[in-house]
Amino acid sequence: MDPEIVQEGPGDCPICGMALEPMMPSADAGPNPELIDFRRRLWIGAPLALAVLLLEMGGMMGLPWADWFGGTTVRWLQFLLATPVVAWVAKPFFKRGWSSIVTGNLNMWTLIAIGTGAAYGFSLVSLLAPGIFPANLQGDHGPPLYFEASAVILILVLVGQVMELTARDRTGDAIRALMDLAPKTARRVTEAGEEDVPLDAVKAGDRLRVRPGESVPVDGTVAEGRSSVDESMITGEPVPVEKTEGDGVTGGTLNKTGSFVMTAEAVGSDTVLSRIVTMVAQAQRSRAPIQALADRVAGYFVPTVIGIAVLAFLLWLVFGPSPALGYAVVAAVSVLIIACPCALGLATPMSIMVATGRGAQAGVLIRDAEALERFAKVDVLVVDKTGTLTEGRPSLTDIVALAGHDETRILSIAAALERGSEHPLAEAILSGAEDRDAPRIDASDFDAVTGKGVRGVVDGRTVGLGNARLMKDLGIDPGDAEARIAELQGQGKTAMLLAVDGKLAGVVAVADRIKETTSGAIKDLHDAGLRIVMATGDSQRTAEAVARDLGIDEVRAGVSPKDKADLIAALQSQGLSVAMAGDGVNDAPALAAADVGIAMGTGADVAVESAGVTLVKGDLRGIVRARVLAQATMRNIRENLFFAFVYNSAGVPIAAGILFPFFGVLLSPMIAAAAMSLSSVSVIGNSLRLRAIRL
């Protein structure tokens, strides 16, 4: 099924002939109707094909049907049993084959339709007009029949289709499991009391009660109460997370012990769960670049096979032993059937569908197959610091008061300035002032100086808080504090200088704690052969301190969003494949420029939209999982392509009769059909192994 084919309602793909699938699965959708139909056809057609086979092969098994019922009767019985298989059971196959010829998109159904149609047509002529065949082709009861070959081949193809459809149905289990996480109803809390309402009736701003053992209905924030929430089905992390007032909760996660009331914020298609389902569904329909190779091969392969079948027919007809026509038909049909490229068409899509579903279960969302293929080849990983390596929640660590000032006064002035700022460090200073009970004072004439700090007036005095560049603008020499600043930065802290009335008054230091999982993830990424580069807007000393603790290979500090994108381009110009991991708005240009962008799911929406891979949990262990998944998927695809090519490459010459002059071996069309089906089974089974991969 080609993902670029989109239409209203069900139908067949005009390119490959496969049945089109819904763009978005439904949690309450019933079984695949095509699978149900094909199973019904199989249950009816298999006994008929087996009966035809027994009638034809009876003599070899000690069942002389011709002696018991007469040769002509047996021949007509074969016709009566095989015709329903060809005319009704296999009708979808011939429909697809005809469509492929009409549209010029030759594919596996072209070969199946021509091969089985030729065998059935030859047999029908032999039955109805035996006299037109030469004497050397006449047997005891007339020319040979191949009703059993056409019927059995079609049933074997049908078995393969049922297995494929069953496997495709299983690849959607991950999506359905995610969709089933959301409850069907929610308990809404109003002034009049509490009531259960359908989930689609919940609106942003509603207050909802979540009781122990219930799933969180939508995304929102805890308003009352506390509990532990199991987020494993979304993040892949097994340890429940404690939630208290003000903490965010995600729809689909499982409330464990306590009861709480939440305020709904994102509902319907805006929830994290809905976005995950959409992303996985889109990824499963996407095509990896390696699929283009299979498509090009198939484009030449089918016409070539038809040519080989025609050539084999002519060579056997001219040079074959008596009855030459019979040998010619067997060889041509065998070539057409064994060369069917159905395994080639399954090789890539099956792996991608299984892999993206497995990734979603582990909290790794793949936007498309191309991102998966590219990530397997990445040489360099560029990471942002704040929110990627660190928790993204800075906290106040140090207050240094210079002569004439005390720590409490320094903190009060700094907090007064930062109340007007939206910078992440401002929240750390305000929280620190509140925790230390620093007296609250107000600032006026507030001015935020981009990239430098903030200025204003506090208690009638001109004050400024920021970096050395702000101090330079204010005409202040930070020399007296340089040693202390260097010491703080060497510990990985961000130091800000406070000036009062044109003189340096103190230093305030803030640190963003490194995530507990970062160090181990960096080691695993190094073991995977990746070079790690940290790109951050923080100071050189602070960045180097963090890099030193984590063992990061290279540091680029003080960089702007444009600088990050330029860094990506510079690495790519060296012939390297680059992945970028970040979580902020400032990371979006670099995420888009990288070969693979990796967004932390806890970050800004624009970062997620710019990335090819999203980590729901938001820590670097997800990158390790994504790398393992990408490499395993590409290895799986290569194995599938090997299976497909080996069966076809080895089978076509044998089916054409290359072994006959040496060993007297000519492949039966039924054996050819079994081999063709076996190649598809091998590809399907190998792809499904990805469901069990450890991430």
Side-chain angles (χ1 to χ4, degrees):
M1 182 183 61
D2 290 72
E4 65 269 22
I5 302 301
V6 179
Q7 71 176 39
E8 292 289 337
D12 293 336
C13 172
I15 296 178
C16 67
M18 301 296 292
L20 295 173
E21 296 179 6
M23 293 184 67
M24 184 56 61
S26 173
D28 55 1
N32 185 338
E34 185 182 31
L35 177 58
I36 295 175
D37 178 49
F38 276 22
R39 280 176 174 163
R40 181 173 64 251
R41 292 175 186 271
L42 180 60
W43 281 112
I44 295 173
L48 296 175
L50 178 61
V52 178
L53 182 64
L54 289 174
L55 286 173
E56 176 63 26
M57 303 297 179
M60 302 179 186
M61 297 181 291
L63 298 172
W65 305 113
D67 295 341
W68 296 347
F69 305 110
T72 301
T73 301
V74 170
R75 289 165 67 87
W76 277 97
L77 281 174
Q78 289 186 47
F79 163 73
L80 293 174
L81 292 169
T83 298
V85 176
V86 175
W88 179 78
V89 173
K91 182 179 178 180
F93 302 165
F94 286 102
K95 179 182 175 183
R96 294 172 181 179
W98 176 250
S99 177
S100 71
I101 295 172
V102 171
T103 61
N105 297 300
L106 303 184
N107 52 45
M108 57 180 279
W109 303 110
T110 315
L111 301 182
I112 291 172
I114 293 175
T116 56
Y120 180 84
F122 178 91
S123 304
L124 188 61
V125 174
S126 297
L127 179 66
L128 298 178
I132 69 172
F133 292 94
N136 62 356
L137 204 62
Q138 299 287 343
D140 293 337
H141 306 288
L145 301 178
Y146 298 106
F147 286 126
E148 92 290 348
S150 60
V152 173
I153 288 169
L154 290 170
I155 292 302
L156 288 172
V157 172
L158 186 57
V159 169
Q161 284 295 291
V162 169
M163 293 182 65
E164 179 189 336
L165 288 169
T166 303
R168 283 183 180 273
D169 209 39
R170 292 179 63 189
T171 61
D173 287 350
I175 293 180
R176 282 187 286 272
L178 287 170
M179 297 177 75
D180 286 339
L181 291 176
K184 300 295 185 288
T185 61
R187 190 163 187 81
R188 185 159 56 194
V189 180
T190 64
E191 294 181 358
E194 299 183 5
E195 60 174 345
D196 290 326
V197 297
L199 192 62
D200 55 11
V202 175
K203 299 179 177 61
D206 285 352
R207 289 167 59 84
L208 309 172
R209 181 175 298 281
V210 184
R211 292 167 292 192
E214 292 182 340
S215 294
V216 178
V218 295
D219 298 356
T221 303
V222 177
E224 299 174 13
R226 61 185 301 148
S227 182
S228 60
V229 177
D230 181 357
E231 299 181 332
S232 59
M233 282 300 291
I234 297 291
T235 65
E237 299 297 329
V239 180
V241 180
E242 293 296 322
K243 300 290 183 180
T244 58
E245 290 184 19
D247 289 340
V249 287
T250 304
T253 54
L254 180 64
N255 183 29
K256 299 291 287 185
T257 54
S259 174
F260 62 86
V261 175
M262 61 173 289
T263 301
E265 295 176 351
V267 301
S269 60
D270 294 329
T271 64
V272 169
L273 184 60
S274 294
R275 289 163 62 187
I276 288 173
V277 170
T278 299
M279 188 175 289
V280 174
Q282 289 174 345
Q284 290 193 341
R285 296 196 311 273
S286 64
R287 294 161 69 87
I290 196 172
Q291 176 67 27
L293 171 63
D295 291 343
R296 286 196 300 272
V297 170
Y300 292 106
F301 186 74
V302 174
T304 301
V305 167
I306 294 175
I308 293 174
V310 172
L311 180 62
F313 178 85
L314 295 175
L315 290 174
W316 277 100
L317 190 62
V318 175
F319 301 107
S322 180
L325 182 59
Y327 281 112
V329 170
V330 169
V333 171
S334 296
V335 168
L336 291 170
I337 297 304
I338 202 170
C340 175
C342 48
L344 194 60
L346 289 172
T348 299
M350 283 299 300
S351 295
I352 295 299
M353 292 178 72
V354 177
T356 50
R358 178 67 186 94
Q361 292 174 331
V364 178
L365 305 183
I366 309 298
R367 178 177 295 279
D368 52 43
E370 184 175 359
L372 200 64
E373 181 173 342
R374 285 184 173 183
F375 195 36
K377 303 173 183 177
V378 164
D379 307 301
V380 181
L381 173 65
V382 178
V383 293
D384 176 45
K385 181 174 76 71
T386 305
T388 302
L389 301 177
T390 64
E391 293 181 345
R393 295 191 299 272
S395 58
L396 182 67
T397 58
D398 298 87
I399 305 169
V400 180
L402 301 180
H405 300 275
D406 62 70
E407 292 184 1
T408 302
R409 180 65 178 172
I410 292 294
L411 185 54
S412 291
I413 295 173
L417 281 174
E418 293 291 18
R419 281 192 185 91
S421 173
E422 297 180 354
H423 196 279
L425 298 182
E427 184 179 347
I429 293 175
L430 291 171
S431 297
E434 185 178 343
D435 293 341
R436 291 167 172 78
D437 295 323
R440 178 184 174 116
I441 52 180
D442 295 321
S444 60
D445 297 334
F446 175 82
D447 180 29
V449 185
T450 305
K452 297 179 181 180
V454 292
R455 296 185 300 189
V457 176
V458 178
D459 287 344
R461 308 176 75 177
T462 302
V463 296
L465 178 68
N467 55 27
R469 288 184 291 169
L470 179 64
M471 296 300 107
K472 183 178 179 181
D473 289 350
L474 298 175
I476 298 172
D477 181 10
D480 294 342
E482 281 185 346
R484 183 61 171 143
I485 293 171
E487 180 185 348
L488 292 170
Q489 290 178 338
Q491 297 170 5
K493 300 173 181 177
T494 300
M496 292 168 282
L497 294 84
L498 178 69
V500 178
D501 287 339
K503 294 182 180 179
L504 196 61
V507 179
V508 178
V510 170
D512 188 4
R513 191 172 65 176
I514 296 173
K515 295 176 182 177
E516 294 180 358
T517 58
T518 298
S519 180
I522 292 291
K523 180 182 181 300
D524 291 340
L525 290 168
H526 275 140
D527 292 343
L530 290 177
R531 169 182 159 198
I532 314 295
V533 179
M534 181 172 71
T536 177
D538 214 335
S539 68
Q540 187 73 31
R541 285 177 178 170
T542 301
E544 287 179 348
V546 173
R548 184 172 56 251
D549 291 343
L550 295 175
I552 289 174
D553 303 304
E554 187 178 337
V555 175
R556 300 292 179 91
V559 295
S560 66
K562 181 178 182 302
D563 293 334
K564 291 183 180 181
D566 290 342
L567 171 61
I568 300 292
L571 292 169
Q572 290 171 330
S573 68
Q574 300 172 23
L576 299 171
S577 180
V578 185
M580 167 71 191
D583 74 330
V585 173
N586 62 324
D587 297 320
L591 290 170
D595 294 285
V596 181
I598 305 169
M600 302 296 162
T602 52
D605 286 347
V606 66
V608 174
E609 293 298 325
S610 302
V613 177
T614 299
L615 309 179
V616 177
K617 181 65 175 176
D619 72 55
L620 290 187
R621 286 183 300 181
I623 299 182
V624 178
R625 295 189 187 106
R627 175 75 167 186
V628 171
L629 180 66
Q631 292 185 326
T633 303
M634 295 315 299
R635 182 168 57 249
N636 192 268
I637 289 174
R638 286 191 289 269
E639 291 167 353
N640 286 348
L641 291 173
F642 172 79
F643 286 137
F645 281 122
V646 162
Y647 278 108
N648 287 330
S649 300
V652 169
I654 296 174
I658 195 172
L659 298 180
F660 188 84
F662 309 102
F663 305 104
V665 175
L666 184 61
L667 198 65
S668 163
M670 289 182 291
I671 302 299
M676 179 269 291
S677 298
L678 184 61
S679 67
S680 298
V681 171
S682 301
V683 166
I684 292 170
N686 190 53
S687 298
L688 291 176
R689 289 194 307 114
L690 289 172
R691 291 165 58 99
I693 187 173
R694 294 187 61 183
L695 297 179

